[in-house]
Every structure is written in structure tokens, then in C-alpha cells.
Amino acid sequence: MGVMKALIRKELLLLLRDPHGLLLLFVMPAVFVLIMTFALQNQYAMSSDVHLDFYLLSEHDSGLSRAFARDLANTSPLNRVPTEAGWEEMQALAQADEVKFLVRIKPGFDELLIQRKPAVEVLFAPGTSPVFASVAEGRVMELLNRLYLRYRLASMPGVQSSLEAQGEDLMEARSLYDDSGAMPSSVQQNVPAWLLFAMFFIAVPLSTTLINERQQGTLLRLRSMGIGPVKLLAGKVVPYFVVNLVQVVVLFLIGLYLIPLLGGDTLTLGAHPEGLILVSVAASLAAVSYALLVAQITSTIEQATIVSGVFNIIMAALGGVMVPSFLMPETMQQIGSFSPMAWGLNGFFDILLRNGTVTDTLPEVGALLGFTALMLCLTVWRYRRRAAEHG
Amino acid sequence: MISIRQLEFSYSPSARPVLKGIDLEIPENALFGLLGPNGAGKTTLLSILAGLIPCPAGCLFVDGRDMSEADNRSAARLSLVPQEYAFYLPLTVRENLTFFAGVQGVPKAEMDARIHEAAGQTGLEERLDSRAGKLSGGLKRRLNLAIGLLNRPRLLLLDEPTVGIDPHSRHFILETIRQLGRNGTTVIYTSHYMEEVEELCDQIAIMDHGQILRNGTLTELLAEAPQSVRGRQSTLESLFLDLTTRGLRD
């Protein structure tokens, strides 16, 4: 036990004396979580803070066109900005990003609508994101269809009164995310995503230490002192496992307390937060075993830094860390499902988004443990091969 | 007493042997110099002595105990001081000594005493709280040696312990090794500095191509050394060059 205590203490001391390692493991993910959470906040939730500003130009005056203009202005999250500008000037202002889009009610609006021809022109500003553009387009289409139906059915007796009902009255929408109907926010995606990214980055300090030990003869000295491969391995796994768990705590605290303090949404832990512990442990074991393999397959610190950096970024890009999986096409989602970071992220989402239980996380936990076993087998194989080559 | 009997070794069955029938007797408390050009097999021999490479049964004995058995090895209390700075540069001298004492199972109650003893023997008491990475080359060599003394070794294996240091530090380290010998530690010392070996060691072996070419006291070896071409006294270096041929090895 004394030997393990000495090995663990040494490893933690080395990490504490390594400002670059601390930057990589704690500062980088914390900064990423803060930046990405706030940057993507509007992409995740169409909250009352989001306004899609638009100018409207009506070139037709009728009851229908006025109803369209009025209803469009009252449609959330669209926000009509009053202006006296003409069409050309409006385009110049949209070009300058003053508004997100322009709506022009064409002359002969009523006839065009009834004939199911384009009665409205919509122009988007160059900087409008596709997500916002599709929201705006959807709202305009929805209104036009409603007006068309209202017009066609207006003359039918007994229908008039029911048509007065608003669309919202005819539809009940809610989210499975929680009972209040709230939608998951950016923080729910970004905290677990960047946490996993950071957890796998322990490959850099761990492999650096191990390669230094190998190059400086320290490993040789430890072996001559009777410290076998199992103890040496455990002496790396345990402290970095602890470091991973500290990362989990730090990033979850940021999501729970710091982000709301800065005006963002609060991270909610779901109905069964104990499941987070299981996923964190499995993800940590996967990350540590991956780091051990990186240290074994590389000979220099430069190689280890490049290999771990490149593979981490690929795993993160495919695994839905950098771009959420639901935004990817089907093929990319299928490829991404092979990334250990995707398994970890899905495990966290089971608890954080899907209100799942520990049982729901078992497939992902199993995959991560399988990955751990594979990495450890490859590490042992490489270690033995290296020992046979170099004595 | 260390006995090496007909020790053969190769890194794989198909590879050429690195050690070929090594026979050596090293008396207790001896300061034993092991010389050889690069690739002679010194490091492999030291690795076997240090337990880094398992030795076949019946080839290596310390005080009559077969070192192929793990229990006998731990009882032999040997210590290897590698040629590299085999410690952690970001840690302080004290933290390094504490760590290496800890992994060797030094009891907590004895820890401080052992650290001060090793630091005292190597003149590092005043530098216990200095970062190892900030030490000069000579102090680093002394720390390397101090770590090797933490288990109060009966057999100390020193692999070129004075490489790249100033004369004062070299003198200090050689004096420390001499003192260790006087206090009952058997020292096996490898070096490329012939004058150091001449000055320090009371028994010397010269090896090349995995074999021991000569073994004896300095006087015995010098009696066999050829006269220098410059007409100077026979030296260990001239014997070494003569035995191992003068061609470049690297």
C-alpha cells in the first residue's frame, strides 16, 4: 500500500507542477464550456430572448394582406421592425445585417394566395443562420396556409366561428425533457461534451510522464527496485482516474453554478444523477487506458502529443462533441457512433436529457468498458514487445 | 561475495549472444571496476545484476543465494544508479528522496532519517528543498547517487556516475564511493574514465564482445599492459585499447 501511495502522490505532484497539463485538463474545457454554451445558446432554445428581426413591405392593401402583416408581426420569435424604407433600401439594410430577413407582400396578394402562387417574397440577410432561416420560412408558410384555408372556408356556414380559433389552441405541444415543457439547453450539451474531450486529454500529461520516465532511466530504476508492471500501471491509472473525477466535479459545478451566474441556463442533472457517476467512471477508465496505449506506441513526447491530440480531435468531431450529432447527416452519425466520446456523451444524455436511469446507461457503459479492455490488452502487448526489444 | 558462473544471454533465441560464458568472483566490500567499449555487454551484465533482466538459475549468486529467486533478490539489498538522471526534475530533492524511499518500502518512522542520511552522504542537506531540475550537473549526479543509497545497499551498481560533471563534484562522488566501500558496501562501477577506475577500484575486469578478457587487481592488469608508444609507463588505458582493439566502435 505504501508503494501505491508513493506512486500516486508522485504522479499528482508532477501534474500539479505542470502548468501546461493543468491548462489542458482544467482551464481549456472550462473555457470551452463557457464559450460554447453561450455561443450556441440561441441555437438550442428559441427562448424569449431570441428575436428574428424583419422588415415588411406591403404592396397590396386588403383585409387578407393586413391580417397577414398583423399575424406575422405577432408570431414568435419573429419581430417586425418598423421602417419607412423602400424595397431597395431595405435590401441594403439587410445586407448590413440590420435585420435577419425581409418580407414583401406582392401586388395582387389575395389573387395570388387563392391561386396558390407565390404571394410573398422573403429575402434573407447574408449572415442569417440556416436554422433561423428555416424557422422564419416555416412561420411565413404557416401563416399563408392558414389565411388560404380561412379564405376558402369563410363562405361555408358554421365554419366561421371555429376558424377564429388560433393555431396554438388546436395544438398541444410539450417536450419529454421535463414535465414543465422546457427544452434542453446549450449547457446540457456542452458540459458533458467538453468534459469528455478534456477527460481524454489526460493522454498528454500521462504519456509525457511515462515517456520521460522511460527516457531518463527512472522506469529502469523503479523496475530495479522491484516495482513490477502491474504496480507501475496501477500507479498511473489511479491518479489519473482521480484527476478525471476532479474534472467531472469541476465542469459540472461550472454548469450548475457559474453559467447561471453569468446569465446562462442552469445544468439540470436529471432524475437519476447517480447514473452520471457510473458513466463518469466508465469514461475515465476508457480515457486512462487510451492514454496508456498512446504512451506505449510512441517514443517521444512530441509524438505522444501529436498522436493524442489528433485522435482526440477526431474522436470529438465524430462523437458529437464539437458538432452535436443531431445536426449531422445520417452517415456521419453512423460513423460517429464508433467514437468512445459518442458513447460517453450518450451515456450522459441518458441521464441529463432523457431522464433515464442507471440501467439506461448500461449499453454505453458496457461499450466504454469494452474499449478499456481492448486498450489495456494492446498496452500490455506493446509493453511486452518493447521489453523484449529493449530489455 | 558475488559469483557469476557461465552466464550466457541473448535478447531472443535467434539473436547473437550478448554475454558468452561470463565467470566472475567479486569479493565482499570490493570496489569492482567493469570496463568495456560500447556494445561490450556491460549494460546487459549490469541489468542482469540489477534484476532488470531475469537470469537463468545457477548463474548468479550473492552470498551463496541464487538470484534467480525473487526472495533472494530482495534480501540481497542491491541498488542500481543509472547513467541518466533517473529522477523527477519537477520535484524537489526531498520529494524525490521521499518517493524513492516510499516505493522501496522504507517505513514512515524511518523515512526522515533515511532521507537525511542519504542527503548527508552526498552533501545535499542544504539542497533538500531545491527543485531537482534547477540543480547543477554535479548536484544532479549526487542526487542520482543519493537515491541509490536510500535502501542502505550491500551491493551498489554504478553506471558511469561521473559523466559530464566538474572536477570538484567528480572528486566528491569518488570520495563518497570510497567511503561506501570502507563502510562495507560492495560497489560495481562502470566508467569510460580509466584514471577514475585506476584510482578507485581494487579489482578490475575488462570485457568485450560479451566476454571477460581480463580480470584482476590493478597491479596484476598493469603487469600485462604494453608500453605506451610514447614511452610512458604502462597504463590501464593502453591495456584497454590493446585488448579491445583501437578501432572506433560507434
Side-chain angles (χ1 to χ4, degrees), chain B residues 6 10 32 62 92 103 122 126 177 186 204 206 210 226 234 244-245:
Chain B
Q6 281 302 304
S10 59
F32 183 86
V62 175
T92 65
V103 294
T122 49
E126 304 297 316
I177 295 167
T186 305
I204 299 162
I206 298 174
S234 292
T244 59
T245 69

Side-chain angles (χ1 to χ4, degrees), chain A residues 225-241:
Chain A
M225 289 172 172
I227 313 298
V230 174
K231 275 184 186 164
L232 284 172
L233 201 73
K236 299 284 175 201
V237 171
V238 176
Y240 279 97
F241 176 73

Side-chain angles (χ1 to χ4, degrees), chain B residues 22-24 32-38 40-42 45 189-192 194 197-198 203-218 220-222 224-226 235-245 249:
Chain B
I22 301 280
D23 274 308
L24 271 179
F32 183 86
L34 184 61
L35 300 178
N38 293 336
K42 299 190 302 292
L45 183 55
Y189 185 94
T190 74
S191 176
H192 287 297
M194 301 292 160
V197 178
E198 281 184 342
Q203 190 177 336
I204 299 162
I206 298 174
M207 68 182 298
D208 197 10
H209 300 300
Q211 292 173 305
I212 301 291
L213 303 176
R214 291 284 190 283
N215 178 23
T217 64
L218 180 64
E220 287 165 353
L221 292 181
L222 289 182
E224 299 178 40
T235 62
L236 188 58
E237 184 163 333
S238 58
L239 174 66
F240 178 83
L241 289 171
D242 191 60
L243 287 172
T244 59
T245 69
R249 292 304 180 92

